[in-house]
């Protein structure tokens, strides 16, 4: 997949409060090197202007893969398994799966998903994120206004390695009252040090943090 073959990546996240966070990464052998980081408070500011400001601060170039990550209003995330099949067949199967896994499903929604390893029974592990049709349009309009091309929009938990599935993943920018673990959401309780333990270890093992 082209997303994982590039030399440099620019990744920008947008939280519910309108704050942008960004990082530029460079691939060096099997590790990633942090080149630059930036934050920008876009609350109350035109989305296009805020997006332009964070990209300018990160000094994003056309040669870098640009990825935007965010939670969308009305979005839902779930993990499941399915028999090996084509992408088109899997897309249709996940629509029916979502109806069983999500209590309040939007009437018209879109799905993005990532496939993983096979289970002992030969099925494929799948992470899926759905969102109401049209919720990406404001971001698309802002990008069009800035004349910026994005290589991918990814809900951050879709990028979570399978081996971290039992870690207590708490990402307040996505969901401040619940953490993800063991294929489901759980209410946040306890100190911050009990969350993201395996995730932090994974990042320290694969990313060199020395931003300019």
């Amino acid at each position: 997949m082209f997303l994982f073959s590039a030399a440099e990546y620019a990744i920008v996240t947008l939280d519910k409060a309108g704050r942008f966070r960004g990082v530029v990464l460079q691939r060096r052998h099997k590790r990633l090197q942090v080149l630059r980081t930036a934050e920008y408070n876009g609350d109350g500011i035109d989305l296009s202007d805020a997006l332009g400001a964070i990209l300018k601060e990160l000094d994003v170039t056309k040669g870098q893969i640009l990825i935007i990550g965010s939670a969308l209003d009305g979005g839902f995330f779930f993990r499941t398994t399915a028999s090996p099949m084509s992408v088109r067949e899997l897309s249709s199967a996940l629509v029916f799966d979502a109806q069983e896994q999500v209590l309040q499903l939007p009437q018209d929604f879109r799905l993005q998903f990532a496939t993983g390893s096979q289970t002992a029974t030969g099925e494929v592990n799948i992470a899926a994120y759905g969102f109401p049709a049209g919720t990406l349009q404001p971001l698309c309009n802002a990008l069009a206004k800035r004349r910026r091309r994005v290589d991918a929009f990814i809900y951050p938990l879709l990028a979570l390695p399978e081996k971290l599935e039992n870690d207590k993943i708490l990402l307040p920018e996505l969901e401040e009252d619940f953490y993800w673990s063991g294929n489901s959401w759980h209410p946040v309780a306890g100190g911050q040090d009990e969350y993201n333990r395996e995730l932090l270890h994974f990042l320290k093992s694969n990313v060199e943090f020395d931003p300019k």
Side-chain angles (χ1 to χ4, degrees):
M1 186 176 181
F2 78 97
L3 287 180
F4 305 106
S5 61
E8 291 191 4
Y9 306 83
I11 303 173
V12 174
T13 62
L14 173 61
D15 66 19
K16 295 180 179 180
R19 178 173 293 277
F20 287 87
R21 293 175 175 84
V23 60
V24 175
L25 301 166
Q26 183 180 67
R27 180 177 295 281
R28 294 183 177 177
H29 303 293
K30 295 183 179 181
R31 293 169 61 85
L32 292 171
Q33 170 75 48
V34 175
L35 300 182
R36 294 180 295 282
T37 62
E39 288 191 27
Y40 188 82
N41 186 4
D43 186 28
I45 301 175
D46 179 77
L47 180 59
S48 175
D49 293 338
L51 184 59
I54 188 72
L55 293 178
K56 181 178 181 180
E57 190 170 347
L58 287 171
D59 192 23
V60 177
T61 67
K62 293 183 178 179
Q64 295 164 339
I65 292 293
L66 177 57
I67 301 171
I68 293 182
S70 179
L72 299 172
D73 289 340
F76 54 91
F77 176 76
F78 64 93
R79 284 186 177 273
T80 186
T81 59
S83 300
M85 61 186 76
S86 69
V87 173
R88 184 184 295 274
E89 292 172 328
L90 186 54
S91 297
S92 298
L94 287 175
V95 170
F96 290 101
D97 206 341
Q99 296 173 2
E100 297 182 357
Q101 299 225 26
V102 183
L103 293 178
Q104 296 181 329
L105 200 64
Q107 185 173 3
D108 185 14
F109 62 91
R110 303 290 181 267
L111 278 174
Q112 60 176 187
F113 58 90
T115 57
S117 62
Q118 283 194 342
T119 67
T121 60
E123 292 190 311
V124 179
N125 287 307
I126 302 167
Y129 181 65
F131 50 90
T135 50
L136 263 181
Q137 197 57 49
L139 180 59
C140 293
N141 292 341
L143 290 165
K145 187 175 180 181
R146 305 304 308 182
R147 296 183 179 179
R148 282 283 185 174
R149 177 180 177 273
V150 172
D151 295 283
F153 171 87
I154 299 175
Y155 179 69
L157 284 184
L158 286 177
L160 188 68
E162 286 183 51
K163 62 182 179 181
L164 304 181
E165 63 182 359
N166 292 320
D167 193 12
K168 295 182 177 180
I169 304 299
L170 176 60
L171 302 177
E173 296 82 1
L174 300 181
E175 181 55 69
E176 60 184 356
D177 297 323
F178 295 87
Y179 69 89
W180 179 265
S181 182
N183 291 344
S184 62
W185 294 102
H186 307 269
V188 171
Q192 294 291 318
D193 58 349
E194 71 175 275
Y195 300 107
N196 304 330
R197 291 180 179 177
E198 295 178 28
L199 175 60
L200 291 174
H201 177 74
F202 174 83
L203 291 173
K204 290 177 181 178
S205 300
N206 291 277
V207 182
E208 296 178 19
F209 293 88
D210 186 22
K212 297 179 181 178

